[in-house]
């Protein structure tokens, strides 16, 4: 029966059907069947309620979760603010996803549904939303021939309902999320990302920091178990510091220690002797969750955009982690704008922390970046060696001359001294060359001017050992190192070692330069003064 405004439906030919209204799928043909769907199958997204307690949250990767109470409180305050979405950002391995996951689990009763969305790619987002659509309405999938249609259904549902939470994990850029977040204002979004910048128009940033030392040691102990030997406690603290208090690195180390039943001190020794293997070592089947693998993926993304950025990271892996002068990075390329962009990209991926004058690199990022690994194309041995040579050259160029008497240069020396100390730690004495021998000599002279005599002696001894190996015992460079070392001994009150060195220098210079040469006269004066001090 039809109204006057509705014409009866007519079939168009043999095998065709005419339907005035339908609540099922009709097939035609010799073997046709009719699949009847219930009335709720045709509901609009706005008419579909969410099943109680709907969520797809994964279980935490580890039951151990310590040192993040303050960060959970900061995240809770940001989410309660009711403003823009919150993005938790930080270095890979910092625990961003873990923090977001614990927040979502703790607040499952507050939101419905709570949906975890792997957000590395737009396709991944679409698949997760399609899965949400299927869980909200099993019939939605029957009408969606592609994930894009399922995602559109889920988006329509989210637009028409309140009280939901989407956790968009490991988002690459804000551009990938803007088309989704823009139309969705009825629920809340929690984002995690390695990217620290580029969110200002979309989300409020919340930077995640490393654990404090006590929490780091606590994390290690909870996974490993209570210390088995009296010296395990100090060894755990030393290991935590070596790993830069980074949660993923700590978890990786603790799992290895537990799995292999070695001591923390043994792990630390292996880490220092075989860093590449230990950075990649996993005590589980998930080799993707190691420091080496996580950062390899990050370096691939950075190198694809700006290879100079990876060169900067490898180069400054050899110097101190803190307060690296930006002007040192600018010396790596003739184009200052290219350097600006490279530093900004490293900062965006949380590989460095950037300020207008300096930048900081996490010490574990440095350790990985300067460790050759044939399995990682960004850490080939030749590439690492080139970076070491660049770092040494930059430091030679940056150090002021005449450190004993150049008073104006001392503030710069004080700023650069931590980088000299770091280079000395990272370059073994057997690999010292002409440039490092010169750096150690100048550094000893500066430290003597600062009356830091223990370290002045250390650097002078290393300079002299390198010079003897490189030039011979009586070469000018070696004699200069002997003089500086003798001066350090004398200032430290160790005249028994200072005098023989000065005798050697005087004898060699008389033989090579003659008794009246200014250098010979200076050596004679130094020896005379030292002998006078010894007599007193």
């Amino acid at each position: 029966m039809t109204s006057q405004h509705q014409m009866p439906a007519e079939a168009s030919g043999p095998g065709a059907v005419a339907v005035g209204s339908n609540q099922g799928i009709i097939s035609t043909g010799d073997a046709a069947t009719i699949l009847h769907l219930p009335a709720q199958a045709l509901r609009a997204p706005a008419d579909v309620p969410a099943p109680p307690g709907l969520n797809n949250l994964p279980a935490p990767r580890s039951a151990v979760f310590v040192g993040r109470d303050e960060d959970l409180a900061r995240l809770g305050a940001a989410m309660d603010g009711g403003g823009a979405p919150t993005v938790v950002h930080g270095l890979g391995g910092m625990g961003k996803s873990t923090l977001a996951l614990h927040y979502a689990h703790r607040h499952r009763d507050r939101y419905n549904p709570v949906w975890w969305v792997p957000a590395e790619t737009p396709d991944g987002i679409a698949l997760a939303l399609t899965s949400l659509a299927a869980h909200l309405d099993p019939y939605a999938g029957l009408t969606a021939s592609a994930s894009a249609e399922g995602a559109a259904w889920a988006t329509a549902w989210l637009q028409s309902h309140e009280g939901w939470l989407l956790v968009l994990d490991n988002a690459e850029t804000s551009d990938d999320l803007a088309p989704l977040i823009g139309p969705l204002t009825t629920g809340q979004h929690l984002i995690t990302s390695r990217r620290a910048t580029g969110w200002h128009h979309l989300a409020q940033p919340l930077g995640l920091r490393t654990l404090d030392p006590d929490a780091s040691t606590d994390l290690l102990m909870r996974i490993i178990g209570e210390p088995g030997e009296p010296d395990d406690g100090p060894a755990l603290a030393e290991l935590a510091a070596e790993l830069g208090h980074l949660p993923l690195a700590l978890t990786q180390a603790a799992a290895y220690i537990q799995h292999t039943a070695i001591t923390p001190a043994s792990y630390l020794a292996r880490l220092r002797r075989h860093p590449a293997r230990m950075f990649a070592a996993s005590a589980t089947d998930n080799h993707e969750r190691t420091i080496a693998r996580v950062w390899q993926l990050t370096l691939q993304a950075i190198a694809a955009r700006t290879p100079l950025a990876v060169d900067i990271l490898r180069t400054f892996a050899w110097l101190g982690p803190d307060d690296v002068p930006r002007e040192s990075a600018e010396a790596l390329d003739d184009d200052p704008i290219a350097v600006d962009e490279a530093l900004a990209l490293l900062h965006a991926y949380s590989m460095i922390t950037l300020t207008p004058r300096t930048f900081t690199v996490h010490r574990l990022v440095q350790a990985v970046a300067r460790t050759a690994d044939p399995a990682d194309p960004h850490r080939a041995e030749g590439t690492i060696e080139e970076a070491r040579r660049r770092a040494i050259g930059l430091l030679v160029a940056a150090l002021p001359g005449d450190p004993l008497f150049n008073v104006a240069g001392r503030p710069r020396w004080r700023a650069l001294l931590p980088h000299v100390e770091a280079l000395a730690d990272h370059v073994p004495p057997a690999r010292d060359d002409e440039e490092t021998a010169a750096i150690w000599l100048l550094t000893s002279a500066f430290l003597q001017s600062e009356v830091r005599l223990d370290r002045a002696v250390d650097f002078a001894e290393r300079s002299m050992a390198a010079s003897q190996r490189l030039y011979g015992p009586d070469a000018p460079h070696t004699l200069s190192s002997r003089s500086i070392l003798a001066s350090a001994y004398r200032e430290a009150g160790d005249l028994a070692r200072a005098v023989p060195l000065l005798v050697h220098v005087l004898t060699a210079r008389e033989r090579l330069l003659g008794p009246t040469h200014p250098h010979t006269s200076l050596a004679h004066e130094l020896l005379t003064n030292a002998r006078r001090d010894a007599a007193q």
Side-chain angles (χ1 to χ4, degrees):
M1 181 175 181
T2 62
S3 69
Q4 62 180 353
H5 300 294
Q6 182 178 4
M7 299 297 294
E10 297 181 358
S12 60
V17 295
V19 181
S21 64
N22 177 43
Q23 292 184 349
I25 296 175
I26 300 177
S27 302
T28 65
D30 294 338
T33 59
I34 298 178
L35 175 62
H36 291 284
L37 299 178
Q40 62 264 33
L42 298 181
R43 292 176 299 176
D47 298 328
V48 177
L54 178 61
N55 77 81
N56 71 333
L57 294 176
R61 293 190 179 97
S62 172
V64 179
F65 184 67
V66 298
R68 290 303 192 196
D69 290 344
E70 180 181 342
D71 295 302
L72 270 175
R74 292 169 59 220
L75 177 56
M79 296 295 288
D80 290 342
T86 300
V87 55
V88 179
H89 64 83
L91 178 66
M94 194 71 79
K96 304 177 294 296
S97 298
T98 300
L99 182 72
L101 188 56
H102 277 268
Y103 174 86
H105 274 292
R106 292 190 183 191
H107 294 279
R108 282 179 299 174
D109 295 339
R110 176 178 175 181
Y111 304 103
N112 192 40
V114 179
W115 211 248
W116 189 269
V117 179
E120 294 94 337
T121 64
D123 287 345
I125 296 172
L127 287 172
L129 291 177
T130 298
S131 176
L132 173 61
H135 281 78
L136 287 167
D137 185 353
Y139 302 104
L142 294 176
T143 60
S145 59
S147 62
E149 296 176 10
W153 193 98
T155 300
W157 188 94
L158 294 167
Q159 286 175 320
S160 56
H161 292 80
E162 298 181 348
W164 47 262
L165 171 65
L166 292 184
V167 183
L168 299 149
D169 184 46
N170 202 23
E172 180 64 20
T173 68
S174 61
D175 292 341
D176 292 340
L177 302 187
L180 173 66
I181 290 179
L184 299 181
T185 59
T186 55
Q188 286 197 287
H189 309 81
L190 172 56
I191 306 163
T192 73
S193 179
R194 295 170 296 171
R195 299 293 297 263
T197 59
W199 299 101
H200 57 279
H201 66 290
L202 188 68
Q204 53 181 333
L206 190 153
L208 197 57
R209 298 158 292 192
T210 56
L211 297 176
D212 65 49
D214 289 342
S216 296
T217 305
D218 188 21
L219 175 60
L220 289 170
M221 290 179 59
R222 290 188 184 218
I223 298 175
I224 298 169
E226 291 298 320
E229 299 180 13
D231 62 345
D232 277 357
L236 286 171
E238 187 178 359
L239 176 58
E242 185 80 9
L243 296 173
H245 308 292
L246 192 74
L248 177 58
L250 295 165
T251 302
Q252 179 182 337
Y256 185 96
I257 291 169
Q258 183 192 54
H259 178 69
T260 57
I262 63 174
T263 65
S266 296
Y267 182 93
L268 187 57
R270 286 162 173 71
L271 179 64
R272 288 170 174 168
R273 186 174 179 184
H274 306 287
R277 292 173 63 185
M278 299 310 292
F279 290 141
S282 173
T284 70
D285 293 333
N286 188 2
H287 290 274
E288 298 297 306
R289 295 297 301 168
T290 65
I291 283 296
R293 181 59 178 162
V294 167
W295 291 346
Q296 182 178 344
L297 296 175
T298 300
L299 289 177
Q300 286 174 356
I302 293 172
R305 294 184 57 181
T306 308
L308 175 61
V310 182
D311 288 338
I312 290 174
L313 195 65
R314 282 190 292 251
T315 300
F316 291 98
W318 294 93
L319 304 183
D322 301 318
D323 297 326
V324 182
R326 287 183 66 143
E327 63 189 45
S328 295
E330 292 168 0
L332 291 178
D333 195 278
D334 293 334
D335 184 354
I337 296 176
V339 174
D340 288 345
E341 293 173 350
L343 291 172
L345 186 61
L346 289 169
H347 176 61
Y349 276 92
S350 304
M351 299 300 277
I352 67 172
T353 301
L354 191 60
T355 73
R357 299 186 185 279
T358 64
F359 61 92
T360 299
V361 192
H362 189 278
R363 61 182 298 175
L364 194 56
V365 172
Q366 289 184 306
V368 173
R370 66 173 179 268
T371 302
D373 183 358
D376 187 344
H378 302 292
R379 294 191 287 141
E381 189 162 353
T383 305
I384 296 294
E385 177 60 19
E386 289 175 10
R388 185 180 73 89
R389 298 294 331 143
R390 282 197 302 269
I392 292 170
L394 288 174
L395 203 51
V396 168
L399 292 174
D402 193 13
L404 278 173
F405 304 106
N406 181 6
V407 177
R410 288 181 184 175
R412 184 166 180 79
W413 260 106
R414 295 184 188 108
L416 292 174
L417 183 60
H419 303 295
V420 176
E421 295 270 13
L423 183 66
D425 288 340
H426 301 326
V427 177
R431 300 193 66 184
D432 277 338
D433 58 15
E434 293 88 346
E435 287 187 307
T436 57
I439 292 174
W440 313 147
L441 181 68
L442 292 171
T443 303
S444 177
F446 168 70
L447 290 169
Q448 289 181 53
S449 73
E450 296 278 291
V451 199
R452 296 175 58 180
L453 300 178
D454 287 348
R455 292 300 288 150
V457 167
D458 292 340
F459 276 103
E461 288 178 339
R462 184 161 172 181
S463 177
M464 190 182 78
S467 296
Q468 286 191 122
R469 175 172 54 81
L470 293 167
Y471 306 113
D474 293 334
H477 290 87
T478 309
L479 294 177
S480 294
S481 296
R482 287 184 189 276
S483 294
I484 289 292
L485 178 57
S487 175
Y489 283 149
R490 180 188 171 197
E491 292 297 325
D494 192 348
L495 296 170
R497 288 199 284 182
V499 170
L501 285 171
L502 290 172
V503 169
H504 183 112
V505 171
L506 177 59
T507 302
R509 284 184 169 163
E510 283 180 337
R511 184 179 72 253
L512 297 172
L513 302 176
T516 60
H517 192 280
H519 288 174
T520 306
S521 299
L522 177 60
H524 187 275
E525 180 181 353
L526 292 173
L527 177 58
T528 300
N529 292 337
R531 283 173 168 166
R532 184 188 64 241
D533 292 343
Q536 295 175 352

